[in-house]
Amino acid sequence: MPYTPQHKEQTRQRILHAAAKLFCSQGFDRVTLTQIMKKANMTHGAFYAHFSAKSSVYEAAMAFASSHAFWARDDKQTESKEIHIKALVARYLRWSKNDKEHPSPLEFLVTDAAHKEEKVRQAYQACFDSLVERLAAILQKRGSQNAYALAEETVVSLVGTVAMARSFTQPLQKDFIKRAQKRIVGRLNVNHEKTLEPVYVM
């Protein structure tokens, strides 16, 4: 008896969920198809019913992670309410304790941005652009000048902070992140924090 479209979609979502968790924590090169299917609790053969190669599942998994990340999940809230920038930055920089159910694409290893496979680079770029646009929209609502440029600079700073922090040991890592958070929030909150009622994103 053939599988129903609903069953096939559920299977695909299981693979994407497992792949997103692995790619977001380890990067493209360190993850194998065997690991993905084991985490999804499925046989290796089931993979090719949905994806043609690892780069294909990476592309789909990164889009999945981006759409389920904490910033994306707050779209409806931010249509009428202000997000507290400090809360967003702090949430991101807690990468080691991040949402385990819905991994954030902000956890990417920066090596994926310069990967030899074009599809991997494009997937990374698409998620990066999505995060910049999301932050830019928030900054525009706050009345920031040059919101897109400031958002781009902020995402670069956040990604760079996490990439560097991964190589540090405690307590150097904690102190480094704390200093970076203070600098980033300071740039974003100039002339804005005193005039707006924040809503914390948890």
Side-chain angles (χ1 to χ4, degrees), residues 112-198:
D112 288 356
H115 200 274
K116 62 183 179 181
E117 287 197 41
E118 183 177 1
K119 186 174 285 189
V120 173
R121 296 196 306 273
Q122 289 176 343
Y124 187 97
Q125 183 68 48
C127 287
F128 177 86
D129 290 343
S130 175
L131 293 168
V132 171
E133 290 167 6
R134 179 77 179 94
L135 181 56
I138 294 170
L139 292 173
Q140 283 182 330
K141 291 179 181 179
R142 293 169 61 88
S144 296
Q145 298 294 321
N146 301 316
Y148 188 88
L150 181 56
E152 189 173 57
E153 176 187 350
T154 300
V155 174
V156 169
S157 295
L158 291 171
V159 172
T161 296
V162 167
M164 290 300 300
R166 287 180 184 272
S167 67
F168 295 162
T169 58
Q170 293 286 3
L172 293 178
Q173 185 183 91
K174 182 177 180 180
D175 291 340
F176 176 75
I177 290 176
K178 186 176 181 179
R179 293 194 303 272
Q181 180 175 337
K182 185 176 181 180
R183 288 194 302 270
I184 294 168
V185 170
R187 287 200 303 268
L188 291 172
N189 281 334
V190 172
N191 298 325
H192 295 293
E193 196 66 13
K194 295 181 180 180
T195 62
L196 297 172
E197 281 294 324

